[in-house]
Amino acid sequence: MRELRNTLELARNAGVAVGHFNVSDLVVLKAVFCSAQELQVPVLVGASEGEREFMGVRQIAALVKSLREEFDFPVFLNADHTHNMESAIVAAKAGFDSVVFDASALPFEQNARQTREAVEALKAINPAILVEGEIGNIGTGSEIHELSPDLSKYLTTPAEAKQFVNFTGVDVLAPAVGNMHGMSRKMVEGEKRKRLDIERVSQIKAAALVPLTLHGGSGTDDEDLRQAIAAGISIIHINTELRVAWRNGLEAGLTAQPGQVVPYNILPFAVESVGQVVRARLRLFNHLEDVPAEASNRAASRVREQQAVS
Ligand code: G3H
Ligand code: ZN
């Protein structure tokens, strides 16, 4: 089975990005895994500290491992937004493929020092683990925000990116390039989209020379996402869009079957609702948008073949 590092290299060579989807339960995990399997593209499952606390660190690790092994499929697990060393170590010991060590709320120097310590500690546990660091401010909370903060003065500069990567030794960098966690009400209603600073992405990529992650992907303009991938983004995180779809699907399942109490008759509505979002995002990230659903497997195989020979 390919490792995550190798998967990111192949994606970069093929001009695509790996989709990263946060999960809080088996419904969303099922939707993410089945969608990736249907499209035959690699996928990253993310679990933040809160999501891990709810599901259990070792339990989500065991679930993803079982999917990877049973289906021989490139599904990877990321410990998303990990704010302290203890929980990063617990995730590494549980077998996570990567850790986002997020000290971005601290001043730059402190963030860099703590991230460097995390890289050393986590690689000592598992030399193959990928560690991602984060600089700039993209807000917090994969939820619906009544007000969108103006984060334009906290965008990452190419010089900071280079200095941070060289000092910390991170494998992956998460910059602030116009992205933001969560969605405003207008974004949920489709009236507004997040816009990205594509030129900044290119400059950061050229300076940092490591794979870049775009956090806060929900509600981002589709064309900006395509251009951001071309400019150097290798991983795109989506969470709030899935949470909105999860709630809508659950409500639909309950409304369609008044009096129903059997979970496996209600929850498939949520799986399908989340799955629609995941498939749309994976198609965009993997250049499979023009391919009719039934032909997507063949197209995805072609992308994978290209990746394999490059
Ligand atoms: O780490 C998770 C994400 O960056 C997701 O952000 O909720 O805006 O999609 P989002
Ligand atoms: Zn994030």
Side-chain angles (χ1 to χ4, degrees), residues 21 30-32 34-39 41 242 271-286 288-289 293 296:
F21 302 94
K30 197 174 163 82
V32 170
C34 293
S35 299
Q37 208 187 21
E38 184 183 317
L39 294 171
V41 292
L242 305 192
V271 174
E272 177 50 26
S273 174
V274 174
Q276 281 177 16
V277 176
V278 175
R279 288 191 292 278
R281 285 326 202 172
L282 284 176
R283 282 167 173 269
L284 191 150
F285 302 161
N286 289 280
L288 297 171
E289 291 167 281
S296 58

Side-chain angles (χ1 to χ4, degrees), residues 23-26 48-57 59-60 246:
V23 305
S24 289
D25 69 4
L26 198 52
S48 65
E49 286 180 329
E51 288 160 340
R52 303 202 296 272
E53 193 180 323
F54 182 69
M55 290 180 291
V57 182
Q59 287 65 38
I60 181 63
W246 174 87

Side-chain angles (χ1 to χ4, degrees), residues 3 23 83 97 132 137 152 157 177 257 290:
E3 286 190 344
V23 305
H83 299 288
D97 299 287
E132 177 177 317
N137 185 352
S152 54
T157 67
V177 290
Q257 305 168 88
D290 299 332

Side-chain angles (χ1 to χ4, degrees), residues 22 80-81 142 180-182 194 215-218 237-240:
N22 288 75
D80 206 13
H81 295 293
S142 284
M180 181 201 93
H181 281 121
K194 293 176 198 169
H215 281 257
S218 292
H237 283 221
I238 301 283
N239 193 355
T240 312

Side-chain angles (χ1 to χ4, degrees), residues 135-138 149-157 160 176-179 197 200:
I135 46 175
N137 185 352
I138 56 168
D150 177 14
L151 300 170
S152 54
K153 58 177 178 291
Y154 303 109
L155 299 182
T156 303
T157 67
E160 280 170 344
V177 290
N179 46 331
D197 184 340
R200 191 178 291 270

Side-chain angles (χ1 to χ4, degrees), residues 74-88:
V75 51
F76 301 99
L77 182 60
N78 174 48
D80 206 13
H81 295 293
T82 303
H83 299 288
N84 67 74
M85 190 76 95
E86 293 71 33
S87 59

